[in-house]
Amino acid sequence: MIGGTSINTLQVYATPSIQTCDPNSPCLYTGNAKSVTGSRETIKITVKIGTDKNYIATCSDGNTFYVFQSVTDADKSYGSYYINRNGHKYYFNM
């Protein structure tokens, strides 16, 4: 293109991590995580420490995701932790 720019956008969704939980890790949390966008779905999760020492959430459907700590005020208002599943944050407190 002459005199113009081309912008490509790519929507990125979190994919299940390939990490697995350490078999000796205690269960840190078992309960619900809730999305505040989209379908506002609630899912059941179990959080343990992964083999890479990060928190890993296993969903009821068997998929695993990294757990992130809420750092912004907006995120903190929904929960102290969240997972990013299918482009939506699912919040919970543990």
Side-chain angles (χ1 to χ4, degrees), residues 66-70 75 80-84 89-92:
Y66 284 110
V67 174
F68 300 96
Q69 188 168 10
S70 296
D75 283 338
S80 55
Y81 293 90
Y82 67 90
I83 62 171
N84 190 334
K89 292 179 179 178
Y90 287 76
Y91 294 93
F92 61 98

